[in-house]
Amino acid sequence: MLAVRDLEAFYGVSQALFGMNLSVEAGEVATLLGRNGMGKTTTINTIMGIVKPRAGEVQFERSAITGLPSFRIAKLGLGLVPEGRQIFPNLSVRENLVATAANRLGDTTPWTLERIYQMFPGLKARETSMGNLLSGGEQQMLAIGRALMTNPRLLILDEATEGLAPLVREEIWACLKRIKDDGLSILVVDKNVADLIKLADRHHVVEKGRVVWTGTSAELAADTDMQHRYLGV
Ligand code: ATP
């Protein structure tokens, strides 16, 4: 579904990606793991067209999307839950959900407000609250709901549970499991390796702007040396 090949990206003269390679198959949950500053956010932002790559290619459903403007990439079916949530602060929960909602690819069972509220009952209770008045957990649920309302083919989450209380984290993981069971493909960045081992199918470990290890959840769980060396676990 998604293939990233030999991506290189720079901030000014400083290189952040040094030949990044990764893939996400249809229906799977794949991860990007790695310590701070290794290039996970840059990879996601390059996939989404927010950072322009200097070399390499991004293919989505076999079409090259490298360097397209972000709005076109989003319209092709990539839904982003960005680092820091980026909720519209002066729109209500409902307005945040409907502002960018669409079913461009003609899903027969599209995400609707009702489905989002079923998945996140807490959002229904806060329907008329402004985005800036929500807790971190509510904002993350809203960011996921907002991305789902675009009816994406691939959901990308950057730091899915960063800064959230353990109970809220559990709720987010349970929702992602349900979304996966519905058949949506997911690419997720998070620091909670143990939780990702339970949720995801395949992992990419990033070190200094490139992938140094890929494998299944069982392989990741078994490779404690690698976890220690690259993830500090
Ligand atoms: P984190 O978990 O801390 O977000 P990350 O793995 O997502 O880390 P990136 O944010 O992609 O890493 O950063 C990769 C490298 O690019 C780092 O060296 C970082 O300092 C640098 N970098 C990131 N954003 C910028 C920017 N806007 N300008 C300059 N350098 C940047």
Side-chain angles (χ1 to χ4, degrees):
M1 170 162 268
L2 180 77
V4 168
R5 293 203 191 90
D6 303 325
L7 267 195
E8 293 184 22
F10 290 71
Y11 296 101
V13 295
S14 149
Q15 188 163 2
L17 299 184
F18 293 81
M20 175 64 63
N21 286 282
L22 70 94
S23 63
V24 184
E25 306 293 332
E28 84 172 352
V29 178
T31 73
L32 274 183
L33 304 173
R35 285 189 288 244
N36 288 348
M38 290 301 156
K40 304 177 301 295
T41 296
T42 304
T43 302
I44 284 176
N45 286 347
T46 309
I47 293 169
M48 292 304 300
I50 298 163
V51 171
K52 301 293 175 202
R54 195 171 293 181
E57 189 181 36
V58 182
Q59 275 196 3
F60 179 62
E61 294 187 322
R62 300 193 185 282
S63 301
I65 62 166
T66 330
L68 291 181
S70 298
F71 75 91
R72 286 194 50 203
I73 292 175
K75 283 181 176 175
L76 289 171
L78 285 96
L80 176 65
V81 180
E83 187 172 27
R85 351 260 194 229
Q86 315 291 344
I87 293 306
F88 301 119
N90 53 353
L91 296 185
S92 68
V93 164
R94 187 177 210 281
E95 288 165 343
N96 264 280
L97 289 171
V98 299
T100 52
N103 184 14
R104 290 191 186 84
L105 305 170
D107 258 336
T108 47
T109 52
W111 287 95
T112 58
L113 268 182
E114 291 66 36
R115 271 184 82 192
I116 298 296
Y117 288 153
Q118 264 170 24
M119 169 104 41
F120 300 114
L123 290 184
K124 170 78 179 158
R126 301 283 265 146
E127 192 173 23
T128 56
S129 299
M130 290 294 145
N132 59 350
L133 297 180
L134 304 180
S135 69
E138 288 168 338
Q139 287 194 9
Q140 186 62 348
M141 291 170 197
L142 182 54
I144 295 172
R146 180 179 60 182
L148 290 174
M149 287 289 282
T150 68
N151 286 289
R153 293 275 196 264
L154 173 65
L155 183 67
I156 302 182
L157 299 103
D158 192 357
E159 299 293 359
T161 66
E162 188 176 38
L164 302 182
L167 273 179
V168 182
R169 277 207 311 258
E170 287 306 316
E171 198 177 337
I172 300 280
W173 294 131
C175 288
L176 291 179
K177 172 80 169 65
R178 281 162 61 193
I179 294 167
K180 173 191 183 179
D181 291 343
D182 262 8
L184 192 61
S185 312
I186 304 176
L187 175 62
V188 57
V189 171
D190 202 81
K191 302 242 157 37
N192 294 286
V193 176
D195 292 332
L196 287 172
I197 284 175
K198 283 187 244 159
L199 173 75
D201 303 291
R202 229 154 37 78
H203 308 268
H204 307 81
V205 174
V206 182
E207 174 83 358
K208 295 188 183 147
R210 60 168 71 88
V211 168
V212 292
W213 186 95
T214 60
T216 63
S217 281
E219 288 163 343
L220 177 59
D223 200 340
T224 47
D225 279 356
M226 188 282 296
Q227 286 193 43
H228 186 66
R229 184 164 358 137
Y230 293 118
L231 306 175
V233 175

